[in-house]
Amino acid sequence: MLTNEEQKQYNRHLILDKIGEKGQLKLKQAKVLVIGAGGLGCPVLQYLTAAGVGIIGIIDDDVVDQSNLQRQILYAVDDIGKSKAATAASRLSKLNPFVQFNVYREKLTNQNAISLFQQYDVIVDGSDNFATRYLTNDAAVLTQTPLVYGAIFKFEGQVSVFNYEGSATYRCLYPTPPKPEESPNCSEIGVLGVLPGIIGSLQANETIKIICRIGEVLANKLLMYDTLSMRQMILKFEKTDKAEVTELEKDYEFFCGIKTATHEITLEELQNNLSIYNLLDVREDWEREQQHIGGQHIPLGELAHRYDEVNTEKPVVVYCKSGIRSQRAIDFLEQQFDTVTFINLREGM
């Protein structure tokens, strides 16, 4: 039953004909895991908290960066450097004291995904990379858990619901991942600040519909939204047997072409042997100004016409923020230099 205080908190839901007390109790009893507390995760978490979802899990191993504040509306300047998952839970608990938050300050991997997903009724994907999206899809299929998907790109976004009562999955829509160079993230190409708010709100809406069993869920459908033209369309797609999942991939970054056979080195290993390497920073100028560990600086976007400037007298350690852009740089540089050893700084700065 709802307490007197909960009835006050959820009054506008209780008087809503398609939700009412029955629907609100379903929300109270529901358990939702949100992957990522970034651009998409922030609005998803805010609205699911406000709606009264009983238990909300937040998994994110990242910390707040100043560049996040343009769109990740749960955070403030004072939160820079703090855990996103823990900070989000702390702020959300002030919005609704009747919600329990489970905080996971870790990365979603093929080691923890299954055990985590088994604890929740719905999974909401707020990730920003293809490796996590395929992992999330596969774990949702294996645990038979509905998955609410969202993605953003510059001024456009997508929303869908996968694996809902036998519906199509992410692999039915995207059987194979794109090449890394064809899928830049927002740190490389930018994103309109309000876009994740719109798409994340739509994800929260689908989650509430699933829990309360109201309306038409976006299963077997892909909603596409363009902020510049305000156009919206829904594409239908079908489930395919070729997208069947029987087990998790051993390495999703390798599956998505992000990780190759390139040598890797940790920051600690690098610092202990700094004299035997040359360094190459492929981040943007503003990132370099904030922090760096030395070496040459050639942004990834300029590398194609400046690669001959790279100092190759020693093995070259290439670094960026997370290790993804540096891997792309190495893939390119290895085609230009046959005899030079390039090493990726694992997980970047």
Side-chain angles (χ1 to χ4, degrees), residues 61-74:
D61 67 336
D62 200 5
V63 297
V64 179
D65 184 85
Q66 189 169 3
S67 64
N68 300 150
L69 303 182
Q70 164 251 16
R71 64 199 178 283
Q72 298 180 20
I73 52 177
L74 279 176

Side-chain angles (χ1 to χ4, degrees), residues 224-240:
M224 304 180 72
Y225 187 90
D226 185 338
T227 58
L228 295 183
S229 66
M230 295 304 289
R231 289 190 183 130
Q232 179 176 303
M233 70 173 76
I234 294 179
L235 306 178
K236 294 183 179 180
F237 60 99
E238 297 181 351
K239 185 173 183 178
T240 170

Side-chain angles (χ1 to χ4, degrees), residues 327-345:
Q327 179 60 64
R328 294 178 185 170
I330 290 173
D331 290 341
F332 170 77
L333 290 169
E334 287 181 334
Q335 296 177 31
Q336 317 306 320
F337 301 96
D338 294 334
T339 59
V340 179
T341 299
F342 293 98
I343 303 168
N344 195 19
L345 182 62

Side-chain angles (χ1 to χ4, degrees), residues 133-258:
R133 288 172 188 158
Y134 279 97
L135 168 59
T136 300
N137 173 81
D138 295 353
V141 171
L142 293 173
T143 57
Q144 300 182 356
T145 314
L147 170 61
V148 181
Y149 158 79
I152 53 176
F153 182 80
K154 297 173 78 170
F155 299 97
E156 301 174 0
Q158 301 179 350
V159 182
S160 187
V161 174
F162 302 124
N163 202 49
Y164 177 68
E165 297 183 343
S167 72
T169 71
Y170 183 73
R171 285 183 182 263
C172 297
L173 186 62
Y174 300 111
T176 57
K179 295 178 181 179
E181 61 270 19
E182 296 173 349
S183 56
N185 58 38
C186 64
S187 66
E188 298 168 355
I189 58 170
V191 63
L192 183 66
V194 300
L195 176 61
I198 296 169
I199 300 302
S201 297
L202 291 173
Q203 287 181 273
N205 182 57
E206 291 303 305
T207 305
I208 292 171
K209 285 159 59 180
I210 290 170
I211 294 169
C212 295
R213 302 191 73 82
I214 58 176
E216 277 187 46
V217 174
L218 278 172
N220 299 329
K221 299 173 185 175
L222 179 70
L223 183 149
M224 304 180 72
Y225 187 90
D226 185 338
T227 58
L228 295 183
S229 66
M230 295 304 289
R231 289 190 183 130
Q232 179 176 303
M233 70 173 76
I234 294 179
L235 306 178
K236 294 183 179 180
F237 60 99
E238 297 181 351
K239 185 173 183 178
T240 170
D241 293 337
K242 295 180 180 178
E244 182 180 358
V245 176
T246 57
E247 61 181 0
L248 297 181
E249 301 280 350
K250 292 181 179 179
D251 190 327
Y252 279 87
E253 291 191 346
F254 184 81
F255 171 72
C256 291
I258 297 170

